[in-house]
Amino acid sequence: MPIRASRRPALRWAIPVVALSLITAGCGTGDTPSTEGVSGAIGTTSDINPKGVDELRDGGNLRLATTSFPANWNTLSTDGNDGEIADIERPLMPRAFNTNAAGELTVNHDYFTDVQLTSTSPQQVTYTINPKAVWSDGNPITWEDIAAQAKALNGTDKRFLIAITVGFDRVEKVERGVDDRQAVITFRQPFTEWRGQFAGNMSLFPKSVTADPETFNKGLVDNMGPTAGPFLVQSTDRGQGRIVLGRNPNWWGAEPKLDTITYTVLDRNSWVGGLQNNELDAVLLTNLDDATTVRRSSGVVVRRAPGNRWRHITFNGAPGSILADPALRVAISKAIDRQGIATAVQNGLVEQPKPLNNHVFLEGQAGYQDNSLGFDPDAAARELDALGWKRNGDTREKDGRKLVIRDVMYNDDTWVQIARIIQQNLAQIGVELTIDTKPGTGFFTDVIIPGDFDAAQFSYIGDAFPLSSIPQTYGYNPGDWQNNFGHIGSPELNALIDRTLSELDPKKAIELANEVDRKVFEEGHSLPLTQSEGNWGVRADIANFGSPGLASYDYIKIGFLK
């Protein structure tokens, strides 16, 4: 399913979410899910079948699925900022930190020997690059790669179609350190999540990709550029919908156990069947039927750790949109029964299904609080009346225009189920909702980014650095919308976001982030629905892969048991 690569979940210093799964791990029979198995809060658990590399056989092909071929391999760009593309590229690209299940960070020594906050006045961060680190084209990774990426993402040159500034809009300069293998970043304004600039969902790209706007925007549309991971792109076939990653012969670190990782483009509804038929090795499970099917299948298990993906509705508030009026968006939001949605799609998958009531923090996380406006269809009806949207039969009208909303989503059973519930909710207050399903290919590039929707349903996937995505998604910057697809916001919210990102005290930053969240609800920007259940169906003989929670994978150690 289309998943946007946001930075939203789990602050590094926080303790995130409870989501208890009721599906028994492993094979079995019976119609009733069991309460036995892994459970706990995000930030405390990971279910990846951890094994030592001595227990794994050399070689093998890990077969995974994706819903579409990459529209742009540059995940820093607006077109490439897709969670599925980021997943494919994780074994290919450098990141400064590894993350464990608790969201705790350690320097990724394959790429950096040290990353330090070396000054606070002004704020200054020094990256010391591993002297062995090279791009797949043979060029060394140097401070110039960091400098070029910082310049591309600082937001000053609007020709760069960036997905996120990730604090580089606060950077004054990037300089060479003691040699070409050291970069010193100096900030002109404090940035609370400096560790996330080359970590989590953000990887380092070579200067050959980021140095000029044309290459940044279009250079990786057809093919991946230079990489620097234990794997590289071995082959691609857009017609067949296949991407094969193979071992990087120039990799300087420990040798990976797998020979290849193969991604096949498949409709989401075919994933579980592919796992059953031994055509895939691991798939994300999004509903009870899929989880039950996997549980009854031989040779596969359900791996579970509360996930960092979350479903939501984004509204289109651009001028001319039927939802351009924030008061109208808020009224409609109040009529959507998010508890009913959570119960319908998560019953049997989590204990006590409930909606997500925060745009910044996950439930159970330090800082999480319910800032939502609540479910109140009677109030919604009164507010629509006051706005001049009068009921005429089944559908309200104003100035000869019917209140009809087109809800766009990827063609997936769960998304359609959610849309039908919303459709029923809104019909009760005289709002008509039409369901418009789209294929995965081009979903963001052709539909969401151009604003071809009144409401849109998709998921965000995050990492251990949520605050840096607040301006990306909720900042109001005409001409530089990044992930604010509905073009909704205000100068007041921008100022509050700026204060939040500048606050280096974690407790104060959390307080400010919750003020941001309440304001986002009050503007009718978007509506969080549910947090991911975090269930994966995985072949039983695969180790160090499954449902990682907040942890980052070590692709060197993923493999098949002897």
Side-chain angles (χ1 to χ4, degrees):
M1 76 212 67
I3 303 167
R4 208 58 177 170
S6 174
R7 314 295 300 279
R8 175 190 186 279
L11 287 170
R12 186 181 62 84
W13 57 78
I15 302 174
V17 196
V18 175
L20 303 180
S21 176
L22 300 180
I23 306 296
T24 295
C27 313
T29 59
D31 296 327
T32 304
S34 167
T35 58
E36 297 177 359
V38 179
S39 64
I42 190 168
T44 63
T45 61
S46 181
D47 187 9
I48 61 170
N49 191 25
K51 301 291 182 182
V53 292
D54 58 335
E55 300 178 72
L56 307 181
R57 62 181 173 89
D58 290 326
N61 175 35
L62 180 65
R63 300 164 300 172
L64 304 174
T66 187
T67 58
S68 63
F69 204 87
N72 190 329
W73 292 82
N74 181 5
T75 55
L76 306 175
S77 72
T78 302
D79 286 346
N81 182 37
D82 185 305
E84 289 190 306
I85 302 174
D87 286 344
I88 294 170
E89 294 185 11
R90 283 186 182 274
L92 309 177
M93 304 302 290
R95 285 175 173 80
F97 292 95
N98 295 319
T99 311
N100 66 13
E104 297 168 339
L105 306 178
T106 55
V107 174
N108 187 340
H109 288 124
D110 282 330
Y111 300 107
F112 298 94
T113 59
D114 195 24
V115 181
Q116 288 286 339
L117 179 66
T118 46
S119 173
T120 57
S121 184
Q123 184 178 0
Q124 201 168 67
V125 179
T126 300
Y127 287 82
T128 303
I129 301 165
N130 185 333
K132 297 179 180 179
V134 295
W135 298 107
S136 56
D137 61 4
N139 288 316
I141 299 176
T142 74
W143 76 277
E144 292 180 331
D145 297 304
I146 292 176
Q149 186 155 317
K151 184 177 180 180
L153 299 185
N154 69 18
T156 59
D157 188 341
K158 303 304 181 184
R159 295 176 300 168
F160 286 93
L161 302 180
I162 63 174
I164 184 173
T165 58
V166 69
F168 286 114
D169 54 335
R170 295 163 175 258
V171 168
E172 179 182 343
K173 58 184 177 180
V174 180
E175 298 175 294
R176 182 179 185 268
V178 295
D179 56 26
D180 284 348
R181 296 288 191 160
Q182 189 174 79
V184 180
I185 300 178
T186 302
F187 293 80
R188 65 172 176 273
Q189 185 179 5
F191 182 53
T192 185
E193 284 191 336
W194 58 269
R195 294 175 184 84
Q197 291 190 304
F198 300 103
N201 285 326
M202 301 297 296
S203 56
L204 175 64
F205 278 75
K207 64 181 180 181
S208 61
V209 172
T210 58
D212 70 89
E214 182 65 22
T215 306
F216 183 93
N217 299 335
K218 300 297 183 183
L220 303 190
V221 168
D222 295 321
N223 298 290
M224 186 61 179
T227 59
F231 291 85
L232 46 67
V233 178
Q234 181 172 296
S235 65
T236 62
D237 189 326
R238 188 178 292 271
Q240 293 294 319
R242 188 149 299 160
I243 299 164
V244 180
L245 311 181
R247 290 181 182 177
N248 178 1
N250 296 323
W251 174 244
W252 56 93
E255 186 175 22
K257 301 302 290 186
L258 292 170
D259 285 326
T260 53
I261 302 172
T262 299
Y263 281 89
T264 302
V265 176
L266 289 173
D267 182 89
R268 173 66 189 83
N269 296 321
S270 302
W271 287 12
V272 170
L275 185 67
Q276 278 187 299
N277 297 332
N278 197 22
E279 297 166 351
L280 297 172
D281 294 312
V283 298
L284 179 66
L285 308 175
T286 60
N287 58 59
L288 183 58
D289 287 344
D290 283 352
T292 302
T293 297
V294 171
R295 189 170 63 88
R296 293 173 175 173
S297 301
S298 175
V300 294
V301 296
V302 176
R303 303 220 176 273
R304 304 164 302 150
N308 59 354
R309 303 168 190 241
W310 57 289
R311 301 181 181 99
H312 82 290
I313 308 169
T314 278
F315 297 115
N316 191 343
S321 168
I322 195 168
L323 298 179
D325 183 354
L328 176 58
R329 298 192 299 267
V330 169
I332 288 173
S333 296
K334 291 179 181 178
I336 296 174
D337 184 4
R338 296 181 302 120
Q339 178 60 61
I341 291 171
T343 300
V345 302
Q346 293 191 323
N347 188 38
L349 290 173
V350 301
E351 188 177 79
Q352 298 178 346
K354 59 185 68 174
L356 187 64
N357 291 314
N358 198 295
H359 292 86
V360 180
F361 302 107
L362 296 174
E363 185 187 356
Q365 181 179 2
Y368 178 89
Q369 62 187 47
D370 184 350
N371 296 317
S372 68
L373 304 180
F375 172 55
D376 192 343
D378 292 337
R382 291 193 300 270
E383 291 170 19
L384 291 175
D385 286 336
L387 291 169
W389 289 98
K390 301 299 184 180
R391 194 150 191 164
N392 183 5
D394 291 334
T395 307
R396 293 177 181 269
E397 294 182 359
K398 181 180 180 180
D399 300 328
R401 188 179 192 183
K402 290 184 176 293
L403 190 46
V404 179
I405 298 169
R406 185 167 58 93
D407 186 11
V408 173
M409 72 216 67
Y410 173 64
N411 190 12
D412 172 80
D413 290 344
T414 301
W415 282 123
V416 173
Q417 181 186 12
I418 291 171
R420 286 175 178 160
I421 295 171
I422 297 171
Q423 187 179 56
Q424 294 168 4
N425 293 159
L426 297 186
Q428 298 300 311
I429 61 166
V431 178
E432 182 180 340
L433 182 128
T434 60
I435 299 172
D436 187 0
T437 59
K438 301 291 185 181
T441 300
F443 183 79
F444 286 107
T445 303
D446 301 332
V447 179
I448 302 302
I449 294 173
D452 187 16
F453 63 91
D454 298 322
Q457 297 176 197
F458 54 93
S459 293
Y460 278 121
I461 180 171
D463 54 25
F465 311 97
L467 297 189
S468 55
S469 70
I470 295 176
Q472 171 195 20
T473 308
Y474 308 118
Y476 185 75
N477 301 295
D480 184 21
W481 293 111
Q482 299 184 38
N483 264 12
N484 189 347
F485 302 117
H487 297 188
I488 295 169
S490 65
E492 294 78 15
L493 180 55
N494 282 2
L496 184 56
I497 290 171
D498 186 68
R499 286 176 58 202
T500 304
L501 294 182
S502 298
E503 181 53 67
L504 299 182
D505 182 294
K507 290 184 179 179
K508 292 180 180 179
I510 285 173
E511 292 173 2
L512 289 169
N514 273 302
E515 291 183 34
V516 169
D517 178 54
R518 179 67 180 190
K519 184 69 173 174
V520 170
F521 274 112
E522 291 172 348
E523 290 186 346
H525 177 283
S526 52
L527 200 59
L529 297 174
T530 58
Q531 184 188 330
S532 166
E533 305 84 15
N535 295 317
W536 280 76
V538 185
R539 208 153 298 286
D541 62 345
I542 293 175
N544 303 316
F545 188 87
S547 186
L550 287 179
S552 52
Y553 285 124
D554 186 343
Y555 283 88
I556 291 168
K557 297 179 180 179
I558 296 172
F560 294 87
L561 295 172
K562 292 179 178 177

